[in-house]
Amino acid sequence: NAGVTQTPKFQVLKTGQSMTLQCAQDMNHEYMSWYRQDPGMGLRLIHYSVGAGITDQGEVPNGYNVSRSTTEDFPLRLLSAAPSQTSVYFCASSVGLTNTGELFFGEGSRLTVL
Amino acid sequence: RKEVEQDPGPFNVPEGATVAFNCTYSNSASQSFFWYRQDCRKEPKLLMSVYSSGNEDGRFTAQLNRASQYISLLIRDSKLSDSATYLCVVNRDYKLSFGAGTTVTVRA
């Protein structure tokens, strides 16, 4: 009963390095999304997808890329990491497009950029 | 202006007490509304959806006031296990906006 799986759980990068945060769900959910959470702030939407092959930008997309080649996977790529991208990242999915607010979250990925 | 604003608290209440708090949202075109619960350093989990007519789920009651653009959550008969941060969430066109959260601590 995996639900939403994020890897890695912890990562330390140097400025300028690239990396991919992986997200997979086994619930056949159409909607998937990525958020970052910083101290004192709410979760902020980075990118989202309403189905395979479809992605769109959220509130804070700069510095991040996504793709959705399958229903199950929604990786988040940091192209050139910056200290401002130090954060906790959450991937989430929901079963349908009419109830995209009813999200299932992964356990989070804690990223530090030095 | 933030799209969703919440009183950060903390609300420190004894077991058995009732605690209530609100959040306000700025976009009148918002379509659906939710309360999530987040424990320290954990992922958020859906507590309940919020409907226009108001709704209850056990000890939790949520209300929506579209005219004034606020959402409320009331917790009756508080338990120690209710200690958490409660996130107000607003959905518009597949984009969810989260408040920064209201921290509730229930003491024995």
Side-chain angles (χ1 to χ4, degrees):
Chain A
N1 196 14
V4 179
T5 303
Q6 288 184 234
T7 56
K9 288 188 168 45
F10 300 93
Q11 183 72 49
V12 179
L13 289 179
K14 294 181 179 178
T15 297
Q17 287 184 317
S18 62
M19 78 158 297
T20 299
L21 298 177
Q22 302 290 345
C23 176
Q25 53 89 8
D26 61 358
M27 299 174 282
N28 201 32
H29 285 177
E30 293 182 84
Y31 182 87
M32 296 186 74
S33 51
W34 276 103
Y35 300 84
R36 60 177 290 173
Q37 186 173 31
D38 301 297
M41 302 184 72
L43 279 76
R44 291 182 291 168
L45 179 64
I46 304 171
H47 286 284
Y48 67 98
S49 168
V50 298
I54 306 169
T55 64
D56 207 343
Q57 295 181 350
E59 181 186 353
V60 288
N62 292 341
Y64 307 95
N65 276 358
V66 291
S67 59
R68 185 94 181 270
S69 55
T70 66
T71 300
E72 293 78 21
D73 299 301
F74 191 44
L76 179 71
R77 296 182 188 83
L78 283 72
L79 305 175
S80 178
S84 60
Q85 293 179 304
T86 293
S87 189
V88 180
Y89 292 84
F90 288 102
C91 178
S93 69
S94 73
V95 63
L97 302 183
T98 57
N99 51 355
T100 52
E102 297 178 0
L103 295 169
F104 292 82
F105 281 85
E107 293 182 341
S109 298
R110 286 165 173 76
L111 175 66
T112 300
V113 183
L114 303 175
Chain B
R1 182 185 174 186
K2 291 182 181 178
E3 190 144 347
V4 180
E5 299 210 48
Q6 294 184 246
D7 179 347
F11 288 81
N12 190 322
V13 300
E15 269 189 298
T18 295
V19 59
F21 40 89
N22 295 338
C23 91
T24 59
Y25 60 96
S26 60
N27 195 319
S28 60
S30 298
Q31 296 156 328
S32 52
F33 310 87
F34 307 87
W35 283 103
Y36 277 73
R37 171 196 171 118
Q38 186 174 27
D39 295 304
C40 188
R41 299 179 67 79
K42 297 286 192 179
E43 73 274 18
K45 293 185 179 177
L46 178 66
L47 180 66
M48 59 195 302
S49 302
V50 186
Y51 303 118
S52 296
S53 55
N55 49 299
E56 283 189 13
D57 184 357
R59 297 179 294 104
F60 297 85
T61 300
Q63 296 280 352
L64 168 64
N65 186 317
R66 283 190 182 268
S68 300
Q69 295 182 204
Y70 76 83
I71 308 152
S72 65
L73 182 67
L74 182 146
I75 307 173
R76 286 186 302 276
D77 189 22
S78 299
K79 310 292 185 192
L80 294 175
S81 57
D82 294 334
S83 297
T85 298
Y86 292 85
L87 308 177
C88 176
V89 181
V90 172
N91 185 18
R92 178 174 57 88
D93 297 334
Y94 307 129
K95 296 182 182 181
L96 277 78
S97 298
F98 284 72
T102 297
T103 299
V104 173
T105 301
V106 182
R107 64 182 187 274

